[in-house]
């Protein structure tokens, strides 16, 4: 059962977050009243940045939630995919000779990374005692031949 949770945990979290992201970005245009005013453009852009931040933070959190143990490793997986996505975007801009990316792209990259780090920190706070990392084994010393040291006796 734990193997299935490891196999399906990341794709399930990804599909949930992609659905939220799609509906959020699609229906964030409701906040655009008129494109002519700067204030409505700023509100629409702020809503999109908030949706992006929420989705990337919840991507890390949901991945840690659906994976049974070693949630520290599970939290790194979406962060690695995001960094690979950013590298791919930068590579395509370089290949198309458009190295000058807009400030919006840099803000979006920053929002994605900061929100994923926030999701990782929230996951650590919530899951630190519920399978965050490996358990540390208590040291066992040999007192006499074949007898392990037992802390409960002392």
């Amino acid at each position: 059962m734990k193997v299935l949770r490891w196999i399906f945990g990341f794709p399930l979290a990804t599909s949930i977050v992609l659905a939220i992201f799609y509906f959020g970005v699609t229906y964030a245009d409701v906040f655009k009243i008129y494109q002519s005013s700067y204030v409505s453009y700023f509100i629409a852009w702020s809503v999109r940045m908030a949706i992006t931040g929420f989705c990337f933070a919840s991507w890390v959190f949901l991945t840690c939630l659906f994976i049974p143990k070693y949630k520290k490793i599970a939290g790194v997986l979406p962060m690695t995919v995001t960094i690979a996505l950013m590298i791919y975007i930068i590579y395509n801009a370089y290949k198309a000779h458009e190295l000058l990316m807009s400030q919006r792209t840099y803000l979006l990259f920053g929002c994605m990374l900061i929100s994923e780090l926030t999701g990782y920190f929230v996951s650590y706070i919530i899951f630190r005692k519920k399978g965050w990392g490996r358990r540390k084994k208590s040291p066992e010393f040999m007192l006499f031949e074949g007898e392990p040291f037992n802390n409960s006796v002392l």
Side-chain angles (χ1 to χ4, degrees):
M1 187 66 179
K2 290 185 180 183
V3 174
L4 288 176
R5 283 185 66 191
W6 261 102
I7 292 172
F8 294 117
F10 179 70
L12 180 64
T14 305
S15 61
I16 290 171
V17 168
L18 279 177
I20 294 170
F21 186 72
Y22 172 75
F23 288 119
V25 170
T26 302
Y27 295 110
D29 291 339
V30 172
F31 292 101
K32 284 187 190 177
I33 300 168
Y34 294 104
Q35 195 60 294
S36 61
S37 74
Y38 180 75
V39 175
S40 65
Y41 177 76
F42 178 73
I43 290 172
W45 178 246
S46 300
V47 168
R48 283 195 178 187
M49 291 293 283
I51 290 168
T52 303
F54 173 75
C55 287
F56 277 90
S58 48
W59 189 21
V60 175
F61 178 75
L62 287 176
T63 303
C64 290
L65 179 69
F66 294 147
I67 301 294
K69 284 194 177 182
Y70 310 131
K71 296 178 186 293
K72 182 184 342 182
I73 297 169
V76 172
L77 186 62
M79 296 170 82
T80 307
V81 171
T82 302
I83 291 172
L85 176 70
M86 288 180 193
I87 291 171
Y88 178 73
I89 291 170
I90 292 170
Y91 173 73
N92 277 342
Y94 175 74
K95 196 167 86 173
H97 303 292
E98 297 173 5
L99 288 177
L100 298 174
M101 291 191 277
S102 66
Q103 289 179 341
R104 292 174 49 173
T105 306
Y106 292 126
L107 283 173
L108 184 66
F109 284 176
C111 177
M112 288 163 53
L113 289 176
I114 289 172
S115 62
E116 282 192 337
L117 289 174
T118 304
Y120 193 77
F121 180 69
V122 168
S123 298
Y124 170 73
I125 289 174
I126 292 175
F127 299 119
R128 67 179 160 200
K129 294 182 182 177
K130 299 176 186 174
W132 179 254
R134 297 178 186 221
R135 288 186 186 171
K136 295 179 181 177
K137 295 181 179 179
S138 61
E140 294 184 7
F141 300 102
M142 304 298 260
L143 287 179
F144 301 106
E145 295 176 19
E147 279 187 37
F149 178 72
N150 191 355
N151 288 336
S152 64
V153 175
L154 296 177

